[in-house]
């Protein structure tokens, strides 16, 4: 039997857009549809909305001075622009770069590409809690290091890197900049954004629209363009600007950043409820811990197949993830859980619950009941 209520526990994969975001998008696209590069009235009108969107993003992070915004299609494109754009522009300064072994594919694949271009890449191993030890970063830095990219919150297990410590180390080297894949922190976990040189936003993770996102970076940083053409977005990303998407993104950033304190406290309580319920269930091993983001709770099944459990839960209207949405179709095993030093069984059978606006403490009770039933019914 299906639950009367659907329980969505996959907010790290994507979120339902806010009504205000959808209506703003529709309004801009229907009433202010000019090309922001046109010099007539309708173009100037669209351009003014684009300016406002850029300002609202910066204001939401308290970065109105010294930072700029390049709108992109999401965090994947923004990570590519930051990492490849920076390294290709400044290869003459040094060819050593650093990242970690639990980054999202949109970061890891950039580093693989850099390796093919002759860069030396250091992949820092995370500790058993899924975070980079600042001492390891210190040891890896050289005078040839030009870029370090370390995520703030991990998308699979919710581990949070010590960004202030890590940036301090990188900034002791004048040639090096610090980029962070902040996709899973925006609007959720508090980050000191002013300590970062570059960071990214994905609209659809914060109740914005799919296809919207941006790179935020210090004014003085020059990048190599990734898309050539008419020179939009500071010449870095040519193509007619989707002003409606940019405005919708700014709206989503502003709402979610404003709610951060109250909402993260509420989510912490929900997280706690789930932990309490799950602790009593046999055959689970936690991959997240108390220091992890309250928005993500990851565990492995020691006796059941995660994909079967995910499907059985889906049949009763409970939506969770196995591995992460980006990887689950490509690779059945989690390289993130494996990086924690867990065995084959654990990394092949992970379940990720990711919480958000529509979850309540009551969901923990329903989840535990249905999860228990599923665990008993499958072999
Ligand atoms: N980085 C992280 C940590 C993510 O979780 C995701 C989304 N799965 C991305 C980057 C890519 O985001 P987008 O879907 O906006 O390209």
């Amino acid at each position: 039997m299906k639950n009367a209520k659907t329980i969505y526990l996959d907010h790290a994969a994507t979120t339902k857009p806010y009504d205000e975001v959808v209506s703003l998008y529709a309004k801009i696209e229907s009433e202010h549809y000019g090309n922001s590069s046109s010099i007539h009235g309708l173009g100037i009108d669209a351009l003014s909305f684009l300016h406002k969107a850029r300002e609202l993003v910066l204001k939401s992070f308290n970065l109105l001075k010294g930072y700029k915004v390049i709108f992109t299609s999401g965090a994947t494109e923004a990570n590519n622009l930051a990492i490849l754009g920076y390294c290709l522009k400044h290869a003459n300064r040094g060819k050593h770069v650093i990242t970690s072994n639990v980054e999202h594919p949109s970061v890891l694949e950039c580093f693989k590409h850099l390796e093919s271009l002759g860069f030396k890449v250091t992949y820092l191993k995370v500790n058993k809690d899924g975070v980079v030890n600042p001492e390891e970063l210190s040891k890896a830095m050289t005078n040839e290091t030009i870029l370090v990219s370390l995520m703030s919150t991990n998308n699979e297990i919710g581990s949070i890197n010590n960004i202030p410590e890590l940036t301090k180390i990188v900034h002791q080297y004048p040639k090096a900049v610090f980029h962070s894949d902040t996709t899973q922190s925006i609007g959720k976990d508090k980050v000191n954004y002013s300590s970062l040189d570059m960071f990214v936003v994905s609209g659809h993770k914060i109740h914005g629209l799919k296809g919207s996102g941006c790179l935020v970076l210090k004014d003085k940083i020059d990048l190599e363009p990734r898309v050539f053409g008419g020179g939009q977005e500071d010449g870095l990303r040519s193509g007619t600007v989707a002003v409606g998407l940019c405005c919708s993104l700014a709206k989503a950033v502003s709402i979610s950043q404003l709610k951060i304190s109250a909402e993260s406290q509420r989510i912490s309580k929900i997280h706690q409820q789930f932990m309490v319920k799950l602790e009593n269930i046999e055959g689970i091993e936690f991959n997240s811990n108390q220091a992890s983001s309250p928005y993500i709770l990851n565990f492995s099944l020691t006796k059941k197949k995660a994909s079967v459990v995910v499907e059985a839960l889906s049949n009763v209207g409970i939506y969770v993830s196995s591995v992460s949405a980006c990887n689950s179709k490509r690779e059945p095993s989690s390289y993130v859980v494996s990086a924690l030093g867990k065995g084959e069984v654990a990394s092949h059978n992970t379940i990720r619950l990711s919480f958000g606006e529509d979850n309540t403490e009551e969901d923990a009770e329903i989840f535990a009941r249905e999860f228990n039933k599923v665990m008993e019914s499958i072999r």
Side-chain angles (χ1 to χ4, degrees):
M1 197 183 66
K2 212 173 160 83
N3 275 311
K5 187 180 172 223
T6 289
I7 302 182
Y8 185 68
L9 294 167
D10 204 12
H11 294 82
T14 200
T15 54
K16 183 176 184 289
Y18 290 129
D19 290 345
E20 302 97 296
V21 164
V22 177
S23 56
L24 178 65
Y25 175 75
K27 183 179 153 75
I28 301 284
E29 289 300 321
S30 58
E31 294 171 25
H32 306 277
Y33 57 86
N35 185 324
S36 56
S37 299
S38 298
I39 57 168
H40 53 61
L42 207 54
I44 294 167
D45 172 57
L47 187 62
S48 76
F49 279 96
L50 186 57
H51 279 322
K52 279 187 213 144
R54 242 184 260 289
E55 245 185 51
L56 183 54
V57 171
L58 292 176
K59 193 169 157 231
S60 306
F61 294 118
N62 241 330
L63 297 176
L64 270 173
K65 274 203 190 117
Y67 281 79
K68 57 190 172 185
V69 172
I70 306 296
F71 287 110
T72 63
S73 60
T76 297
E77 189 190 333
N79 280 330
N80 273 255
L81 177 60
I83 298 165
L84 299 178
Y86 191 85
C87 292
L88 297 182
K89 183 82 182 178
H90 302 292
N92 59 337
R93 294 183 186 170
K95 284 191 125 186
H96 178 232
V97 286
I98 301 176
T99 190
S100 82
N101 59 346
V102 297
E103 300 290 317
H104 186 266
S106 61
V107 168
L108 285 175
E109 293 298 320
C110 289
F111 282 94
K112 276 196 204 154
H113 185 59
L114 287 172
E115 272 180 312
S116 77
L117 299 176
F119 280 80
K120 183 175 179 295
V121 181
T122 301
Y123 296 93
L124 296 174
K125 289 196 177 109
V126 292
N127 66 17
K128 63 173 186 9
D129 296 322
V131 295
V132 170
N133 181 344
E135 270 176 35
E136 297 297 316
L137 175 62
S138 275
K139 279 190 226 153
M141 292 294 299
T142 73
N143 288 327
E144 288 297 297
T145 311
I146 59 165
L147 176 122
V148 174
S149 180
L150 296 170
M151 69 203 316
S152 46
T153 304
N154 182 273
N155 52 303
E156 284 194 39
I157 56 170
S159 52
I160 301 180
N161 269 324
N162 186 339
I163 295 292
E165 280 286 308
L166 298 168
T167 51
K168 219 185 290 165
I169 294 165
V170 172
H171 290 147
Q172 285 163 10
Y173 292 77
K175 276 201 270 179
V177 294
F178 193 102
H179 166 65
S180 185
D181 178 357
T182 45
T183 307
Q184 297 289 349
S185 306
I186 308 284
K188 296 174 185 165
D189 305 313
K190 282 199 176 129
V191 174
N192 178 9
Y193 292 101
S194 66
S195 69
L196 301 171
D197 298 305
M198 303 191 273
F199 66 93
V200 303
V201 181
S202 168
H204 73 101
K205 309 282 187 192
I206 52 167
H207 305 274
L209 300 175
K210 291 171 189 69
S212 69
C214 68
L215 170 66
V216 181
L217 73 166
K218 285 193 172 144
D219 264 340
K220 59 178 188 207
I221 295 181
D222 284 335
L223 302 175
E224 180 86 359
R226 302 303 301 149
V227 183
F228 296 89
Q232 291 89 343
E233 293 300 282
D234 239 359
L236 295 175
R237 194 215 187 215
S238 286
T240 302
V241 181
V243 178
L245 282 179
C246 302
C247 293
S248 73
L249 179 78
K251 184 94 182 163
V253 169
S254 134
I255 299 175
S256 55
Q257 283 292 106
L258 275 178
K259 283 186 176 176
I260 205 165
S261 287
E263 184 60 5
S264 67
Q265 274 182 30
R266 196 185 71 85
I267 295 289
S268 293
K269 286 190 193 144
I270 294 172
H271 180 111
Q272 194 53 34
Q273 285 297 315
F274 273 80
M275 285 290 273
V276 169
K277 299 284 177 202
L278 284 166
E279 268 162 3
N280 299 325
I281 298 175
E282 231 188 276
I284 333 191
E285 205 178 276
F286 287 107
N287 298 317
S288 307
N289 60 32
Q290 289 300 337
S292 307
S293 167
Y295 285 80
I296 293 178
L297 177 49
N298 188 307
F299 54 90
S300 294
L301 304 176
T302 54
K303 296 185 182 111
K304 310 277 175 185
K305 240 182 136 186
S307 54
V308 178
V309 171
V310 171
E311 194 183 327
L313 286 172
S314 170
N315 289 338
V316 291
I318 297 177
Y319 304 118
V320 305
S321 221
S322 170
V323 195
S324 77
C326 312
N327 262 343
S328 54
K329 292 209 175 83
R330 225 169 32 176
E331 205 192 323
S333 150
S334 163
Y335 62 87
V336 175
V337 172
S338 163
L340 303 179
K342 309 257 173 147
E344 275 276 295
V345 174
S347 51
H348 274 84
N349 290 293
T350 69
I351 303 257
R352 178 186 69 182
L353 313 182
S354 49
F355 309 111
E357 301 245 329
D358 45 329
N359 294 130
T360 62
E361 286 185 48
E362 190 208 356
D363 291 348
E365 183 79 49
I366 303 172
F367 176 81
R369 191 183 65 220
E370 296 300 329
F371 184 71
N372 262 322
K373 277 195 220 160
V374 164
M375 292 285 274
E376 276 164 22
S377 67
I378 60 172
R379 290 205 278 146

